[in-house]
Amino acid sequence: MSAQHVLDDLLDRTVVLGYGRLGHRLRRGSWPSIPTDALRGRTALVTGANSGIGKAIATGLAEVGAAVTLVVRDRERGVAAAAEITAAVPGAAVGVTCCDVSDLAAVRDVAADLARQVDRVDVLVHNAGVLPPRRTENPQGHELCLATHVLGPLLMTEALAPLLTRSAAARVILVSSGGMYTQALHPGDIEYRATPYRGATAYARSKRIQVALTPILADRYAPQGISVHCMHPGWVDTPGISAALPRFRRLAGRLLRTPEQGADTAVWLAATDVPSGRFWHDRRARPEHYRAGTRTSAADRERVWQYCAAAAGLPAR
Ligand SMILES: NC(=O)c1ccc[n+]([C@@H]2O[C@H](COP(=O)([O-])OP(=O)(O)OC[C@H]3O[C@@H](n4cnc5c(N)ncnc54)[C@H](OP(=O)(O)O)[C@@H]3O)[C@@H](O)[C@H]2O)c1
């Protein structure tokens, strides 16, 4: 491993240095710019794109030529974000589609609508995220972080696979979080019923599941030419952070990244040919674990996959 990579890893282990604005500043010097026509003629969907990192990802994709559909749960907020993006990127093609991605019925409906409207999807970014203050469930009875970050994205990817397959380079990107480093898989309590609920823990557990399932999804969709990536945006100053973690935001303050800085790796993954099934941060594949206590067996990973695939209604293959 080169000295540059050792320094890079150390930055992440300090968390604040690697995941904050400084990490981005120190690393970006070595990054080539993404060609402005990298995604010309391609179509992209971004969930939770009316705000924060999702809006910045959608803007970044439009800047490199993609026609982008913002998948949002509130049409008015989506239309306002689309107007902002077209003002920032003149000539950009930006559409808005409504879907609560935690509701599996709504995900099925939106995938069916999209299949009638477009003949191909090249990039699908699962960005929508929540950190609920108390345990809540989606309409199908699944814990909300699990439903929003795992089950909805699993179902949407499966339902859109026929459209993704028509792309020459289909890429699915899950926006996870470095917070997942604090949590192991809990194959015996995936719905978080057995112990007192903490929103931040539920959030990190579901983000851990995203990372754990990424290699399984990469294998599942490889025969259809669809690559699957997971990424951590860094700690980013967004409306979501202000609302869910106000104390963290106050303490981290100016150390936090801008949404554009947080969006960079997702946009880069959408535009770049890299190996499928990995976890990325700042344009580099990163370890799945830093702490021994979060390591789990292949059997536990498989148990979590079996549960989530069944809960999302995925057909066995
Ligand atoms: N900010 C950070 O430091 C950080 C760090 C690591 C990972 N992340 C991840 O980055 C992603 C974006 O977060 P953010 O910080 O940009 O937060 P944000 O500003 O709150 O944005 C979250 C977006 O997700 C949407 N959303 C939430 N639940 C949804 C649902 N059920 N269906 C459709 N859309 C839904 C929200 O829509 P509404 O406007 O309707 O609520 C909003 O547009 C999340 O996955 C988050 O976990 C963020």
Side-chain angles (χ1 to χ4, degrees):
M1 191 187 276
S2 70
Q4 192 192 356
H5 280 179
V6 172
L7 176 65
D8 199 27
D9 288 348
L10 282 174
L11 282 174
D12 277 2
R13 282 164 196 262
T14 62
V15 176
V16 169
L17 295 182
Y19 292 166
R21 192 176 285 237
L22 185 65
H24 181 269
R25 188 172 307 154
L26 290 175
R27 290 164 176 153
R28 73 173 176 209
S30 61
W31 297 344
S33 53
I34 305 168
T36 50
D37 62 352
L39 293 176
R40 182 160 301 152
R42 311 274 179 94
T43 58
L45 304 179
V46 183
T47 70
N50 60 285
S51 165
I53 298 164
K55 187 166 70 181
I57 293 173
T59 307
L61 294 174
E63 279 169 348
V64 294
V68 188
T69 298
L70 317 183
V71 182
V72 299
R73 57 182 168 183
D74 181 287
R75 177 164 293 280
E76 226 173 276
R77 287 202 292 270
V79 168
E84 275 184 61
I85 296 171
T86 44
V89 189
V94 186
V96 176
T97 291
C98 286
C99 178
D100 176 339
V101 303
S102 72
D103 179 348
L104 300 176
V107 170
R108 257 184 228 104
D109 288 349
V110 84
D113 283 350
L114 284 164
R116 283 189 287 271
Q117 289 162 24
V118 297
D119 53 3
R120 196 185 77 229
V121 172
D122 298 281
V123 175
L124 171 58
V125 184
H126 296 296
N127 163 81
V130 281
L131 197 162
R134 63 192 68 80
R135 192 179 184 287
T136 35
E137 294 184 345
N138 76 344
Q140 291 77 33
H142 301 291
E143 189 276 324
L144 193 64
C145 287
L146 180 74
T148 307
H149 304 147
V150 179
L151 304 183
L154 285 183
L155 178 59
M156 192 179 287
T157 305
E158 181 76 14
L160 293 177
L163 294 179
L164 287 159
T165 303
R166 296 199 191 122
S167 168
R171 291 160 185 152
V172 175
I173 297 159
L174 291 147
V175 178
S176 180
S177 168
M180 66 91 195
Y181 281 122
T182 63
Q183 294 295 317
L185 289 177
H186 288 72
D189 187 24
I190 297 168
E191 298 279 0
Y192 204 157
R193 290 195 178 96
T195 51
Y197 188 87
R198 282 190 63 238
T201 307
Y203 173 87
R205 284 188 185 185
S206 64
K207 295 290 181 180
R208 163 62 72 194
I209 296 176
Q210 289 183 316
V211 175
L213 297 190
T214 296
I216 294 177
L217 294 173
D219 287 348
R220 181 178 178 91
Y221 295 112
Q224 289 160 269
I226 302 167
S227 58
V228 183
H229 313 289
C230 198
M231 57 79 67
H232 169 49
W235 304 135
V236 183
D237 195 1
T238 63
I241 282 281
S242 304
L245 301 171
R247 193 152 165 270
F248 171 72
R249 187 185 175 278
R250 261 199 317 279
L251 290 173
R254 290 173 52 78
L255 295 173
L256 294 175
R257 296 178 177 205
T258 65
E260 293 68 31
Q261 292 169 341
D264 173 82
T265 295
V267 176
W268 175 78
L269 285 168
T272 311
D273 202 11
V274 296
S276 185
R278 309 286 303 270
F279 176 57
W280 299 82
H281 170 60
D282 279 352
R283 300 195 186 188
R284 230 189 107 201
R286 306 283 165 173
E288 275 189 35
H289 303 273
Y290 282 126
R291 295 167 41 191
T294 66
R295 288 174 204 276
T296 35
S297 63
D300 282 348
R301 196 191 291 252
E302 183 60 23
R303 264 177 83 191
V304 172
W305 161 246
Q306 291 299 336
Y307 178 88
C308 293
L314 265 54
R317 289 191 177 173

